[in-house]
Amino acid sequence: LIYQGSRHRIDWNQQEIEPYVTHRFADGTEEWLFDGFLFLDFKDGTGHAYTPLMDSIAARREHWEWYLGRVFERDKGLDALDRCITEKKRTLGEPPFRHKVVLTVPVPFPGQTDWGELNGRPLDFNNIADRKAAVIWFIDRLVDGFAAQKYRNLDLDGIYFLAEDIATTKDFPREIAEHIHSKGLKFVWIPYFMAEGHERWHELGFDIAYHQPNHFFEAHIPDSRLDDAI
């Protein structure tokens, strides 16, 4: 998980992302490490959220577009990851896998009426069709933007749904799953422990769901939580 999308995050330049690309052992030898990277964030750092959160204002189109710019920023994030892999190939040779990337789509706030316009028409997120239109527009921008960068070492493998339950969104993931699949991508979700809808992950259109144990949040949570999550 690479948290990149808020103004308070690190830059994720090549030096900062390197420890996730390879691991250097105590004897100085080095090996390839993670083969997949999920880029995500919940807020923009100015009080606007990309998913319904109690303490934040709903992000508008301008904030969604700022996030897009952050994703494809030169020498940071995806670009830094691609450059880092290229550099490591010089000493380690080709990795035994292609590095996969999952990118995040913001989740519209039901009831939001100030998101902005799409194709000259103001969107009203009380209307599920307008929420769907905004997300599909964003997915297309992600896919096209990724292709335009022509990364040498990265494959776009999936789209991540940012809300960790469906308490607010209800069955909205099903509205966008087909479009994600039409792009040849997986639909990925990480619900928290026993989150609303977690047991319906496949019905909701997700291809992969990681169920968080949330074991480490409180000292009183027993180790059996890990088995319970499984």
Side-chain angles (χ1 to χ4, degrees):
L1 275 65
I2 304 296
Y3 284 87
Q4 182 205 31
S6 178
R7 286 168 171 81
H8 74 282
R9 305 294 188 187
I10 63 174
D11 284 337
W12 288 112
N13 58 36
Q14 195 168 319
Q15 181 180 1
E16 290 164 339
I17 210 163
E18 180 181 346
Y20 301 87
V21 176
T22 63
H23 176 70
R24 188 177 299 277
F25 292 88
D27 63 2
T29 59
E30 193 174 16
E31 290 184 1
W32 294 104
L33 189 56
F34 292 115
D35 64 354
F37 294 78
L38 164 58
F39 287 80
L40 75 161
D41 219 320
F42 295 96
K43 302 179 181 181
D44 73 344
T46 65
H48 301 91
Y50 304 124
T51 187
L53 297 171
M54 292 180 62
D55 60 344
S56 299
I57 302 169
R60 296 189 289 274
R61 173 172 171 159
E62 63 190 274
H63 308 115
W64 287 30
E65 291 183 323
W66 182 88
Y67 179 70
L68 276 169
R70 185 81 163 130
V71 169
F72 297 117
E73 200 168 357
R74 185 170 176 80
D75 294 326
K76 300 175 184 178
L78 291 171
D79 189 54
L81 175 61
D82 190 55
R83 292 170 184 268
C84 184
I85 294 168
T86 295
E87 185 174 295
K88 292 298 180 182
K89 282 181 176 181
R90 297 192 181 104
T91 54
L92 297 178
E94 290 289 330
F97 48 76
R98 287 283 298 177
H99 287 79
K100 306 291 187 182
V101 168
V102 175
L103 300 180
T104 297
V105 62
V107 177
F109 285 54
Q112 183 181 3
T113 58
D114 65 348
W115 181 81
E117 295 185 357
L118 190 62
N119 299 322
R121 183 176 65 84
L123 297 189
D124 180 352
F125 287 167
N126 287 298
N127 182 343
I128 195 169
D130 281 3
R131 281 186 273 152
K132 181 178 179 179
V135 172
I136 286 177
W137 166 81
F138 192 87
I139 291 168
D140 290 346
R141 293 283 298 275
L142 281 179
V143 172
D144 293 345
F146 189 92
Q149 296 299 319
K150 294 182 168 55
Y151 299 117
R152 288 183 285 178
N153 307 295
L154 307 178
D155 294 334
L156 181 57
D157 197 53
I159 298 294
Y160 176 60
F161 190 70
L162 192 53
E164 294 183 359
D165 62 28
I166 61 168
T168 301
T169 66
K170 303 306 179 187
D171 287 359
F172 182 71
R174 287 198 301 203
E175 299 292 327
I176 58 174
E178 182 178 352
H179 188 72
I180 291 168
H181 293 146
S182 75
K183 300 290 185 180
L185 301 173
K186 301 180 182 72
F187 197 14
V188 184
W189 193 32
I190 309 181
Y192 58 81
F193 185 69
M194 298 298 284
E196 183 175 339
H198 77 278
E199 76 286 0
R200 297 176 52 215
W201 64 275
H202 198 260
E203 175 192 336
L204 290 166
F206 296 108
D207 301 288
I208 303 171
Y210 298 89
H211 194 188
Q212 300 180 50
N214 301 140
H215 171 259
F216 64 91
F217 285 155
E218 301 288 345
H220 66 79
I221 298 176
D223 290 351
S224 58
R225 170 65 69 84
L226 300 174
D227 294 322
D228 293 341
I230 292 169

